[in-house]
Amino acid sequence: MQTLKIEATPRADFGKKASRAIRREDQVPCVLYGGGETVSFSVDAKALKPLIYTPNSYIVELTIGGKTEKAVMREVQFHPVREEILHIDFYRVQEGKPVAISIPVRLTGNAEGVKVGGKLVLSTRKIFVSGPVDKLPDEITVDVTTLGVGKTIFVGDLKSDDLKFLTPATTAVCAVRVTRASRGAAAEAAQ
């Protein structure tokens, strides 16, 4: 999995007043928790853009006051009106323990149902998985070559030796929908 390095500044002041003061300086208040002491810090808002505004998932290397910690982003809070990040929670990555993270889905192949006029629809853009940090892939690749018209691939159909899928098995990943063109092709084949 890809790693993103972010420089952070430790925080000593807490509460609404201190958080507002940090935001006025174009910083985002953050918290790192899990597997040890909870650390409060702030990060420059511009440094977070590659982490937030992307479909990819990252392991984050946070450098807080000279100490480096590996973490995953757990939750982001946005302002309800403006596109402003209010707060981010990070979860510490521990060696030997599995990490839960959302990984993007990428479809490969040309579905048989699309060849006869169906429409391929991606229903789930990210799948929540758990696994060791060194075994986490950048993306989950789903081969749709054998997918016919009206057929669906579910999370339960996906297999991986290293990952445990936390998204429910009944969640649809992708499907080939019936279209007018595919109905016409089926009617012609029946005659």
Side-chain angles (χ1 to χ4, degrees):
M1 176 158 274
Q2 298 174 353
T3 303
L4 188 67
K5 296 181 181 193
I6 296 177
E7 294 288 326
T9 308
R11 276 192 321 163
D13 299 331
F14 306 103
K16 284 185 183 180
K17 190 174 182 180
S19 294
R20 285 185 184 138
I22 288 170
R23 288 186 196 107
R24 275 193 296 270
E25 296 171 8
D26 205 24
Q27 298 278 315
V28 177
C30 303
V31 174
L32 174 67
Y33 62 92
E37 68 174 271
T38 301
V39 180
S40 297
F41 58 95
S42 62
V43 177
D44 183 33
K46 291 177 185 160
L48 292 170
K49 287 190 178 190
L51 177 66
I52 304 290
Y53 302 107
T54 179
N56 301 328
S57 297
Y58 294 101
I59 298 293
V60 181
E61 275 189 19
L62 294 166
T63 305
I64 308 167
K67 185 179 176 188
T68 302
E69 301 255 16
K70 281 190 175 184
V72 292
M73 186 176 62
R74 203 37 112 217
E75 185 180 351
V76 181
Q77 296 173 2
F78 288 95
H79 188 278
V81 177
R82 300 185 303 263
E83 187 73 17
E84 180 185 348
I85 304 166
L86 296 178
H87 182 84
I88 300 180
D89 287 342
F90 290 96
Y91 187 77
R92 190 176 281 118
V93 172
Q94 300 171 18
E95 289 298 321
K97 289 197 173 183
V99 176
I101 191 167
S102 291
I103 297 181
V105 174
R106 186 170 67 86
L107 304 179
T108 61
N110 192 2
E112 290 178 13
V114 173
K115 292 177 185 174
V116 295
K119 180 180 178 185
L120 182 64
V121 178
L122 177 64
S123 305
T124 304
R125 295 189 180 279
K126 287 191 174 189
I127 296 177
F128 201 56
V129 300
S130 175
V133 179
D134 56 335
K135 304 280 185 178
L136 292 174
D138 287 330
E139 58 192 11
I140 295 173
T141 306
V142 178
D143 185 21
V144 296
T145 307
T146 60
L147 201 59
V149 176
K151 302 295 181 193
T152 305
I153 295 177
F154 296 98
V155 173
D157 299 334
L158 304 177
K159 304 288 182 239
S160 176
D161 296 334
D162 303 324
L163 302 176
K164 178 182 175 189
F165 293 99
L166 302 177
T167 301
T170 57
T171 304
V173 176
C174 63
V176 175
R177 302 277 184 239
V178 178
T179 61
R180 286 186 202 157
S182 63
R183 278 193 209 118
E188 286 178 17
Q191 291 177 0

